[in-house]
Amino acid sequence: MSYPFQIKSLEEYQQHYQKSIQDPESYWAEVASHFEWKKKWDKVLDCNFTEPKVEWFINGKLNITENCLDRHIKAGKGDQPALIWEPNDPEEHHRVLTYKELYFKVNQFAQVLLNNGVTKGDRVCIYMGMVPELPVAILACARIGAIHSVIFGGFSAQSIADRVTDAQAEYVITCDGAYRGTKEIPLKPVIDEALVQCHGVKRVIVLTRTRTPVSMIKGRDVWWEDEIKKVETLGNPKVEAAEMDAEDKLFILYTSGSTGKPKGVVHTCGGYMIWATYTFVNVFQYQPGEIHFCTADIGWITGHSYILYGPLSAGATSLMFEGIPTWPDAGRFWDIVDKYKVNILYTAPTAIRSLMAYGLQPLQGKDLSSIRLLGTVGEPINEEGWKWYYENIGKSKCPIIDTWWQTETGACLISNLAGVTAHKPCWATLPLPGVQPLLVDEKGNEITEKDSDGYYKGNLCLNGPWPGILRTTYGDHERCRQNYFATYPGLYFTGDGALKDDQGNFRITGRVDDVLNVSGHRIGTAELENAINMHNGVVESAVVAYQHDVKGQGIYAFVIYSGTLENEHLTRQDISLTVSKVIGAIAKPDKIQFVSGLPKTRSGKIMRRILRKIAEGELNQLGDTTTLLDPLIVDEIKNNRI
Ligand code: WTA
């Protein structure tokens, strides 16, 4: 497969960019013409950011799995590896699925879904470990037009229940358990606990992975393997790919915002497919035959777009890894690179920082010469991490792509194109064609003056749509409008702050709203505080981020506790466990400080700015505290800082 829309030089990038802005409809129509459609669209774009309403490739009909599977087989690439699976335990046999084999498995499982009553438009929640059956389950949903919603394996029963309920899902696919380093993580028991609250779920399909005993409820739960056998006795019929409208929902993925519970970001079949594929081909500059290794979990958007849909639609070979970077030892990634001769390594700054801490010994004897490019995603990378990655992994020869994007944007929006446009350490650099970033002040005025450090600095917004933009938040369009399109009318607001230089390069500095980014995972402070407040001794709490060497941001909680604290250490553990139960272990606070009050304004608003400074240890830069209801509380909090 060649990629007619692959940009090959800086000049070409500039031409593409110009064209995409001046005449977006013809630009994207040309890109879309290189995909497989069951029926061509009538109109390319209909968009306004007020409602908001965004529609791409109107009345076009397609099925994304035909683009990810059938067309490559038709083109004679059926025997090429589509997915390589490296298990948690290096002693266990790895698996390779060619395009033909993946096609076969997806068809088989699509038939299982049909047999179990799943129909087009139904929501299916998927809570599995990183096993090859996870992509099979996802693609099988897409094959029959069911809307998948993958839930990351680290979320608690309560978080699952919230998502299943919000999505009104009637079907769940899970595993008995998952392997993570030396640990065996139960999954089905967590689903059982979640589903006590979700009476609408009709069927749970359970794959065997860890062979741990699980309860199987009569009439509701079935084994994956038994269902496959039934399809085999039917002679494995081929499942017709459902005809989907370009704007039909492909998936829902829940993500945290600054208020309330996580929201279900909705992506649609046509625009998302084009955007995931276009960015994969351009940002990574994928060359046929290369091995692409994205270390993300498929439970996050990065896994959706750059393990599955982007690479498969481009006919690439995508490597998925079940384990963790530090087990059996901190050389795990390098062993994988060496074993499969990986060409593209795409990971998160937090992983780089944690591996950096082990020094260079884990790299000894590992052949990394196959690597052509390195990538990062999920959070700002620090200079030290960038340099370590560049020098020791890329041997100072490989470009690093710093890809900025969000669950809501579907795939990358700001990034250099590997080896085509220049990298700049810690800068995401230039917008992709179709992407129009701008920086605004609090009132929404574009920043036109540079700061004293020579950069434009402001809140990052996007003007005009790209095909992969979210269409709505599931079941609550008003929430989508409020969250993204109401702060600055006419613009999409990202929630991030950024710098821009004179050449038009962007550097993302981090969230400017009440969202934390812990090890690349988004967690809302409101969500965290609600979870902490669920502990029966907690009266009130306030959560802020502080700089953490490995996680990027750590979680610092200030907690007002009722009654006497007999054992602070134990109470901290109790509160952490409560958060684990309500959200998941990823949200456990790193520090909990008990306080007798919180710094509030006279109108009762918590002054997080002051708490942030205290958490960071900037005790002499708290600013004006005289407007506080009780200025003395600040001294108490400062003195007892952890
Ligand atoms: C942050 C992950 C700096 C940012 C794909 C954004 C980044 C949030 C970068 C989205 C980057 C992502 N540099 N910050 N290259 N990439 N972010 O939805 O704050 O899990 O808003 O999507 O991660 O996180 P999400």
Side-chain angles (χ1 to χ4, degrees), residues 302-323:
T302 306
H304 280 56
S305 301
Y306 297 118
I307 295 178
L308 285 188
Y309 286 117
L312 294 181
S313 168
T317 298
S318 181
L319 196 162
M320 68 181 280
F321 171 44
E322 185 187 39

mmCIF file with all atom_site columns, all heavy atoms in Angstrom, residues 302-323:
data_model
loop_
_atom_site.group_PDB
_atom_site.id
_atom_site.type_symbol
_atom_site.label_atom_id
_atom_site.label_alt_id
_atom_site.label_comp_id
_atom_site.label_asym_id
_atom_site.label_entity_id
_atom_site.label_seq_id
_atom_site.pdbx_PDB_ins_code
_atom_site.Cartn_x
_atom_site.Cartn_y
_atom_site.Cartn_z
_atom_site.occupancy
_atom_site.B_iso_or_equiv
_atom_site.pdbx_formal_charge
_atom_site.auth_seq_id
_atom_site.auth_comp_id
_atom_site.auth_asym_id
_atom_site.auth_atom_id
_atom_site.pdbx_PDB_model_num
ATOM 1   N N   . THR A 1 302 ? -4.887  6.531   22.997 1.00 0.00 ? 302 THR A N   1
ATOM 2   C CA  . THR A 1 302 ? -3.648  6.291   22.251 1.00 0.00 ? 302 THR A CA  1
ATOM 3   C C   . THR A 1 302 ? -3.635  4.871   21.686 1.00 0.00 ? 302 THR A C   1
ATOM 4   O O   . THR A 1 302 ? -3.231  4.651   20.540 1.00 0.00 ? 302 THR A O   1
ATOM 5   C CB  . THR A 1 302 ? -2.417  6.538   23.144 1.00 0.00 ? 302 THR A CB  1
ATOM 6   O OG1 . THR A 1 302 ? -2.533  7.848   23.688 1.00 0.00 ? 302 THR A OG1 1
ATOM 7   C CG2 . THR A 1 302 ? -1.123  6.422   22.368 1.00 0.00 ? 302 THR A CG2 1
ATOM 8   N N   . GLY A 1 303 ? -4.103  3.921   22.486 1.00 0.00 ? 303 GLY A N   1
ATOM 9   C CA  . GLY A 1 303 ? -4.171  2.540   22.010 1.00 0.00 ? 303 GLY A CA  1
ATOM 10  C C   . GLY A 1 303 ? -5.202  2.373   20.904 1.00 0.00 ? 303 GLY A C   1
ATOM 11  O O   . GLY A 1 303 ? -4.975  1.651   19.928 1.00 0.00 ? 303 GLY A O   1
ATOM 12  N N   . HIS A 1 304 ? -6.336  3.040   21.047 1.00 0.00 ? 304 HIS A N   1
ATOM 13  C CA  . HIS A 1 304 ? -7.364  2.955   19.996 1.00 0.00 ? 304 HIS A CA  1
ATOM 14  C C   . HIS A 1 304 ? -6.787  3.422   18.653 1.00 0.00 ? 304 HIS A C   1
ATOM 15  O O   . HIS A 1 304 ? -6.935  2.771   17.635 1.00 0.00 ? 304 HIS A O   1
ATOM 16  C CB  . HIS A 1 304 ? -8.556  3.868   20.321 1.00 0.00 ? 304 HIS A CB  1
ATOM 17  C CG  . HIS A 1 304 ? -9.533  3.322   21.321 1.00 0.00 ? 304 HIS A CG  1
ATOM 18  N ND1 . HIS A 1 304 ? -9.182  2.914   22.569 1.00 0.00 ? 304 HIS A ND1 1
ATOM 19  C CD2 . HIS A 1 304 ? -10.882 3.137   21.241 1.00 0.00 ? 304 HIS A CD2 1
ATOM 20  C CE1 . HIS A 1 304 ? -10.266 2.495   23.224 1.00 0.00 ? 304 HIS A CE1 1
ATOM 21  N NE2 . HIS A 1 304 ? -11.309 2.621   22.431 1.00 0.00 ? 304 HIS A NE2 1
ATOM 22  N N   . SER A 1 305 ? -6.161  4.594   18.689 1.00 0.00 ? 305 SER A N   1
ATOM 23  C CA  . SER A 1 305 ? -5.772  5.234   17.424 1.00 0.00 ? 305 SER A CA  1
ATOM 24  C C   . SER A 1 305 ? -4.437  4.735   16.885 1.00 0.00 ? 305 SER A C   1
ATOM 25  O O   . SER A 1 305 ? -4.255  4.675   15.676 1.00 0.00 ? 305 SER A O   1
ATOM 26  C CB  . SER A 1 305 ? -5.713  6.754   17.605 1.00 0.00 ? 305 SER A CB  1
ATOM 27  O OG  . SER A 1 305 ? -6.978  7.218   18.021 1.00 0.00 ? 305 SER A OG  1
ATOM 28  N N   . TYR A 1 306 ? -3.498  4.385   17.791 1.00 0.00 ? 306 TYR A N   1
ATOM 29  C CA  . TYR A 1 306 ? -2.155  4.055   17.292 1.00 0.00 ? 306 TYR A CA  1
ATOM 30  C C   . TYR A 1 306 ? -1.666  2.639   17.601 1.00 0.00 ? 306 TYR A C   1
ATOM 31  O O   . TYR A 1 306 ? -0.520  2.317   17.309 1.00 0.00 ? 306 TYR A O   1
ATOM 32  C CB  . TYR A 1 306 ? -1.156  5.122   17.738 1.00 0.00 ? 306 TYR A CB  1
ATOM 33  C CG  . TYR A 1 306 ? -1.503  6.470   17.134 1.00 0.00 ? 306 TYR A CG  1
ATOM 34  C CD1 . TYR A 1 306 ? -1.828  7.558   17.937 1.00 0.00 ? 306 TYR A CD1 1
ATOM 35  C CD2 . TYR A 1 306 ? -1.578  6.637   15.742 1.00 0.00 ? 306 TYR A CD2 1
ATOM 36  C CE1 . TYR A 1 306 ? -2.183  8.786   17.380 1.00 0.00 ? 306 TYR A CE1 1
ATOM 37  C CE2 . TYR A 1 306 ? -1.933  7.855   15.186 1.00 0.00 ? 306 TYR A CE2 1
ATOM 38  C CZ  . TYR A 1 306 ? -2.235  8.916   16.001 1.00 0.00 ? 306 TYR A CZ  1
ATOM 39  O OH  . TYR A 1 306 ? -2.591  10.112  15.441 1.00 0.00 ? 306 TYR A OH  1
ATOM 40  N N   . ILE A 1 307 ? -2.542  1.800   18.202 1.00 0.00 ? 307 ILE A N   1
ATOM 41  C CA  . ILE A 1 307 ? -2.245  0.363   18.151 1.00 0.00 ? 307 ILE A CA  1
ATOM 42  C C   . ILE A 1 307 ? -3.195  -0.252  17.133 1.00 0.00 ? 307 ILE A C   1
ATOM 43  O O   . ILE A 1 307 ? -2.808  -1.081  16.328 1.00 0.00 ? 307 ILE A O   1
ATOM 44  C CB  . ILE A 1 307 ? -2.421  -0.327  19.522 1.00 0.00 ? 307 ILE A CB  1
ATOM 45  C CG1 . ILE A 1 307 ? -1.402  0.207   20.529 1.00 0.00 ? 307 ILE A CG1 1
ATOM 46  C CG2 . ILE A 1 307 ? -2.245  -1.853  19.374 1.00 0.00 ? 307 ILE A CG2 1
ATOM 47  C CD1 . ILE A 1 307 ? -1.533  -0.394  21.927 1.00 0.00 ? 307 ILE A CD1 1
ATOM 48  N N   . LEU A 1 308 ? -4.445  0.226   17.186 1.00 0.00 ? 308 LEU A N   1
ATOM 49  C CA  . LEU A 1 308 ? -5.444  -0.413  16.340 1.00 0.00 ? 308 LEU A CA  1
ATOM 50  C C   . LEU A 1 308 ? -5.774  0.327   15.054 1.00 0.00 ? 308 LEU A C   1
ATOM 51  O O   . LEU A 1 308 ? -5.238  0.015   13.988 1.00 0.00 ? 308 LEU A O   1
ATOM 52  C CB  . LEU A 1 308 ? -6.746  -0.597  17.144 1.00 0.00 ? 308 LEU A CB  1
ATOM 53  C CG  . LEU A 1 308 ? -6.705  -1.717  18.154 1.00 0.00 ? 308 LEU A CG  1
ATOM 54  C CD1 . LEU A 1 308 ? -8.083  -1.930  18.735 1.00 0.00 ? 308 LEU A CD1 1
ATOM 55  C CD2 . LEU A 1 308 ? -6.232  -2.997  17.476 1.00 0.00 ? 308 LEU A CD2 1
ATOM 56  N N   . TYR A 1 309 ? -6.688  1.287   15.172 1.00 0.00 ? 309 TYR A N   1
ATOM 57  C CA  . TYR A 1 309 ? -7.305  1.790   13.948 1.00 0.00 ? 309 TYR A CA  1
ATOM 58  C C   . TYR A 1 309 ? -6.332  2.447   12.965 1.00 0.00 ? 309 TYR A C   1
ATOM 59  O O   . TYR A 1 309 ? -6.424  2.179   11.766 1.00 0.00 ? 309 TYR A O   1
ATOM 60  C CB  . TYR A 1 309 ? -8.453  2.742   14.298 1.00 0.00 ? 309 TYR A CB  1
ATOM 61  C CG  . TYR A 1 309 ? -9.680  2.010   14.820 1.00 0.00 ? 309 TYR A CG  1
ATOM 62  C CD1 . TYR A 1 309 ? -10.156 2.223   16.110 1.00 0.00 ? 309 TYR A CD1 1
ATOM 63  C CD2 . TYR A 1 309 ? -10.364 1.093   14.023 1.00 0.00 ? 309 TYR A CD2 1
ATOM 64  C CE1 . TYR A 1 309 ? -11.289 1.555   16.580 1.00 0.00 ? 309 TYR A CE1 1
ATOM 65  C CE2 . TYR A 1 309 ? -11.494 0.422   14.487 1.00 0.00 ? 309 TYR A CE2 1
ATOM 66  C CZ  . TYR A 1 309 ? -11.951 0.659   15.762 1.00 0.00 ? 309 TYR A CZ  1
ATOM 67  O OH  . TYR A 1 309 ? -13.070 0.001   16.218 1.00 0.00 ? 309 TYR A OH  1
ATOM 68  N N   . GLY A 1 310 ? -5.438  3.317   13.459 1.00 0.00 ? 310 GLY A N   1
ATOM 69  C CA  . GLY A 1 310 ? -4.514  3.986   12.535 1.00 0.00 ? 310 GLY A CA  1
ATOM 70  C C   . GLY A 1 310 ? -3.643  2.981   11.800 1.00 0.00 ? 310 GLY A C   1
ATOM 71  O O   . GLY A 1 310 ? -3.666  2.878   10.558 1.00 0.00 ? 310 GLY A O   1
ATOM 72  N N   . PRO A 1 311 ? -2.855  2.175   12.558 1.00 0.00 ? 311 PRO A N   1
ATOM 73  C CA  . PRO A 1 311 ? -1.967  1.210   11.895 1.00 0.00 ? 311 PRO A CA  1
ATOM 74  C C   . PRO A 1 311 ? -2.715  0.192   11.028 1.00 0.00 ? 311 PRO A C   1
ATOM 75  O O   . PRO A 1 311 ? -2.295  -0.078  9.899  1.00 0.00 ? 311 PRO A O   1
ATOM 76  C CB  . PRO A 1 311 ? -1.262  0.514   13.064 1.00 0.00 ? 311 PRO A CB  1
ATOM 77  C CG  . PRO A 1 311 ? -1.322  1.482   14.183 1.00 0.00 ? 311 PRO A CG  1
ATOM 78  C CD  . PRO A 1 311 ? -2.591  2.264   14.010 1.00 0.00 ? 311 PRO A CD  1
ATOM 79  N N   . LEU A 1 312 ? -3.814  -0.355  11.529 1.00 0.00 ? 312 LEU A N   1
ATOM 80  C CA  . LEU A 1 312 ? -4.484  -1.402  10.741 1.00 0.00 ? 312 LEU A CA  1
ATOM 81  C C   . LEU A 1 312 ? -5.088  -0.820  9.471  1.00 0.00 ? 312 LEU A C   1
ATOM 82  O O   . LEU A 1 312 ? -5.027  -1.436  8.405  1.00 0.00 ? 312 LEU A O   1
ATOM 83  C CB  . LEU A 1 312 ? -5.557  -2.120  11.567 1.00 0.00 ? 312 LEU A CB  1
ATOM 84  C CG  . LEU A 1 312 ? -5.028  -2.943  12.754 1.00 0.00 ? 312 LEU A CG  1
ATOM 85  C CD1 . LEU A 1 312 ? -6.176  -3.634  13.472 1.00 0.00 ? 312 LEU A CD1 1
ATOM 86  C CD2 . LEU A 1 312 ? -3.981  -3.972  12.324 1.00 0.00 ? 312 LEU A CD2 1
ATOM 87  N N   . SER A 1 313 ? -5.658  0.352   9.576  1.00 0.00 ? 313 SER A N   1
ATOM 88  C CA  . SER A 1 313 ? -6.226  0.947   8.373  1.00 0.00 ? 313 SER A CA  1
ATOM 89  C C   . SER A 1 313 ? -5.123  1.262   7.353  1.00 0.00 ? 313 SER A C   1
ATOM 90  O O   . SER A 1 313 ? -5.347  1.217   6.137  1.00 0.00 ? 313 SER A O   1
ATOM 91  C CB  . SER A 1 313 ? -7.009  2.194   8.758  1.00 0.00 ? 313 SER A CB  1
ATOM 92  O OG  . SER A 1 313 ? -7.323  2.925   7.629  1.00 0.00 ? 313 SER A OG  1
ATOM 93  N N   . ALA A 1 314 ? -3.923  1.539   7.853  1.00 0.00 ? 314 ALA A N   1
ATOM 94  C CA  . ALA A 1 314 ? -2.798  1.810   6.948  1.00 0.00 ? 314 ALA A CA  1
ATOM 95  C C   . ALA A 1 314 ? -2.100  0.517   6.510  1.00 0.00 ? 314 ALA A C   1
ATOM 96  O O   . ALA A 1 314 ? -1.082  0.562   5.817  1.00 0.00 ? 314 ALA A O   1
ATOM 97  C CB  . ALA A 1 314 ? -1.798  2.747   7.628  1.00 0.00 ? 314 ALA A CB  1
ATOM 98  N N   . GLY A 1 315 ? -2.584  -0.626  6.960  1.00 0.00 ? 315 GLY A N   1
ATOM 99  C CA  . GLY A 1 315 ? -1.976  -1.903  6.553  1.00 0.00 ? 315 GLY A CA  1
ATOM 100 C C   . GLY A 1 315 ? -0.622  -2.144  7.206  1.00 0.00 ? 315 GLY A C   1
ATOM 101 O O   . GLY A 1 315 ? 0.229   -2.842  6.657  1.00 0.00 ? 315 GLY A O   1
ATOM 102 N N   . ALA A 1 316 ? -0.428  -1.586  8.385  1.00 0.00 ? 316 ALA A N   1
ATOM 103 C CA  . ALA A 1 316 ? 0.871   -1.687  9.057  1.00 0.00 ? 316 ALA A CA  1
ATOM 104 C C   . ALA A 1 316 ? 0.942   -2.941  9.923  1.00 0.00 ? 316 ALA A C   1
ATOM 105 O O   . ALA A 1 316 ? -0.038  -3.668  10.069 1.00 0.00 ? 316 ALA A O   1
ATOM 106 C CB  . ALA A 1 316 ? 1.078   -0.451  9.932  1.00 0.00 ? 316 ALA A CB  1
ATOM 107 N N   . THR A 1 317 ? 2.123   -3.161  10.509 1.00 0.00 ? 317 THR A N   1
ATOM 108 C CA  . THR A 1 317 ? 2.292   -4.226  11.494 1.00 0.00 ? 317 THR A CA  1
ATOM 109 C C   . THR A 1 317 ? 2.428   -3.569  12.852 1.00 0.00 ? 317 THR A C   1
ATOM 110 O O   . THR A 1 317 ? 3.359   -2.796  13.092 1.00 0.00 ? 317 THR A O   1
ATOM 111 C CB  . THR A 1 317 ? 3.538   -5.068  11.178 1.00 0.00 ? 317 THR A CB  1
ATOM 112 O OG1 . THR A 1 317 ? 3.339   -5.680  9.896  1.00 0.00 ? 317 THR A OG1 1
ATOM 113 C CG2 . THR A 1 317 ? 3.749   -6.152  12.220 1.00 0.00 ? 317 THR A CG2 1
ATOM 114 N N   . SER A 1 318 ? 1.469   -3.868  13.727 1.00 0.00 ? 318 SER A N   1
ATOM 115 C CA  . SER A 1 318 ? 1.400   -3.198  15.014 1.00 0.00 ? 318 SER A CA  1
ATOM 116 C C   . SER A 1 318 ? 1.700   -4.184  16.131 1.00 0.00 ? 318 SER A C   1
ATOM 117 O O   . SER A 1 318 ? 1.151   -5.279  16.168 1.00 0.00 ? 318 SER A O   1
ATOM 118 C CB  . SER A 1 318 ? -0.015  -2.621  15.159 1.00 0.00 ? 318 SER A CB  1
ATOM 119 O OG  . SER A 1 318 ? -0.150  -1.936  16.365 1.00 0.00 ? 318 SER A OG  1
ATOM 120 N N   . LEU A 1 319 ? 2.595   -3.776  17.016 1.00 0.00 ? 319 LEU A N   1
ATOM 121 C CA  . LEU A 1 319 ? 3.005   -4.666  18.107 1.00 0.00 ? 319 LEU A CA  1
ATOM 122 C C   . LEU A 1 319 ? 2.282   -4.253  19.375 1.00 0.00 ? 319 LEU A C   1
ATOM 123 O O   . LEU A 1 319 ? 2.298   -3.078  19.743 1.00 0.00 ? 319 LEU A O   1
ATOM 124 C CB  . LEU A 1 319 ? 4.513   -4.519  18.289 1.00 0.00 ? 319 LEU A CB  1
ATOM 125 C CG  . LEU A 1 319 ? 5.293   -5.558  19.081 1.00 0.00 ? 319 LEU A CG  1
ATOM 126 C CD1 . LEU A 1 319 ? 6.765   -5.425  18.747 1.00 0.00 ? 319 LEU A CD1 1
ATOM 127 C CD2 . LEU A 1 319 ? 5.117   -5.496  20.558 1.00 0.00 ? 319 LEU A CD2 1
ATOM 128 N N   . MET A 1 320 ? 1.614   -5.201  20.030 1.00 0.00 ? 320 MET A N   1
ATOM 129 C CA  . MET A 1 320 ? 0.985   -4.879  21.315 1.00 0.00 ? 320 MET A CA  1
ATOM 130 C C   . MET A 1 320 ? 1.624   -5.693  22.437 1.00 0.00 ? 320 MET A C   1
ATOM 131 O O   . MET A 1 320 ? 1.987   -6.850  22.243 1.00 0.00 ? 320 MET A O   1
ATOM 132 C CB  . MET A 1 320 ? -0.535  -5.053  21.266 1.00 0.00 ? 320 MET A CB  1
ATOM 133 C CG  . MET A 1 320 ? -1.027  -6.461  21.132 1.00 0.00 ? 320 MET A CG  1
ATOM 134 S SD  . MET A 1 320 ? -2.855  -6.560  21.043 1.00 0.00 ? 320 MET A SD  1
ATOM 135 C CE  . MET A 1 320 ? -3.310  -6.419  22.760 1.00 0.00 ? 320 MET A CE  1
ATOM 136 N N   . PHE A 1 321 ? 1.755   -5.062  23.595 1.00 0.00 ? 321 PHE A N   1
ATOM 137 C CA  . PHE A 1 321 ? 2.504   -5.649  24.709 1.00 0.00 ? 321 PHE A CA  1
ATOM 138 C C   . PHE A 1 321 ? 1.612   -5.723  25.937 1.00 0.00 ? 321 PHE A C   1
ATOM 139 O O   . PHE A 1 321 ? 0.958   -4.757  26.302 1.00 0.00 ? 321 PHE A O   1
ATOM 140 C CB  . PHE A 1 321 ? 3.738   -4.768  24.956 1.00 0.00 ? 321 PHE A CB  1
ATOM 141 C CG  . PHE A 1 321 ? 4.512   -5.090  26.197 1.00 0.00 ? 321 PHE A CG  1
ATOM 142 C CD1 . PHE A 1 321 ? 4.807   -6.406  26.539 1.00 0.00 ? 321 PHE A CD1 1
ATOM 143 C CD2 . PHE A 1 321 ? 4.973   -4.071  27.018 1.00 0.00 ? 321 PHE A CD2 1
ATOM 144 C CE1 . PHE A 1 321 ? 5.529   -6.689  27.691 1.00 0.00 ? 321 PHE A CE1 1
ATOM 145 C CE2 . PHE A 1 321 ? 5.706   -4.337  28.167 1.00 0.00 ? 321 PHE A CE2 1
ATOM 146 C CZ  . PHE A 1 321 ? 5.981   -5.654  28.507 1.00 0.00 ? 321 PHE A CZ  1
ATOM 147 N N   . GLU A 1 322 ? 1.612   -6.907  26.542 1.00 0.00 ? 322 GLU A N   1
ATOM 148 C CA  . GLU A 1 322 ? 0.708   -7.123  27.668 1.00 0.00 ? 322 GLU A CA  1
ATOM 149 C C   . GLU A 1 322 ? 1.267   -6.629  29.008 1.00 0.00 ? 322 GLU A C   1
ATOM 150 O O   . GLU A 1 322 ? 0.511   -6.327  29.916 1.00 0.00 ? 322 GLU A O   1
ATOM 151 C CB  . GLU A 1 322 ? 0.428   -8.638  27.774 1.00 0.00 ? 322 GLU A CB  1
ATOM 152 C CG  . GLU A 1 322 ? -0.580  -9.023  28.827 1.00 0.00 ? 322 GLU A CG  1
ATOM 153 C CD  . GLU A 1 322 ? -0.675  -10.541 28.993 1.00 0.00 ? 322 GLU A CD  1
ATOM 154 O OE1 . GLU A 1 322 ? 0.349   -11.215 28.942 1.00 0.00 ? 322 GLU A OE1 1
ATOM 155 O OE2 . GLU A 1 322 ? -1.796  -11.037 29.175 1.00 0.00 ? 322 GLU A OE2 1
ATOM 156 N N   . GLY A 1 323 ? 2.587   -6.550  29.113 1.00 0.00 ? 323 GLY A N   1
ATOM 157 C CA  . GLY A 1 323 ? 3.179   -6.381  30.451 1.00 0.00 ? 323 GLY A CA  1
ATOM 158 C C   . GLY A 1 323 ? 3.485   -4.958  30.852 1.00 0.00 ? 323 GLY A C   1
ATOM 159 O O   . GLY A 1 323 ? 2.837   -4.016  30.422 1.00 0.00 ? 323 GLY A O   1
#
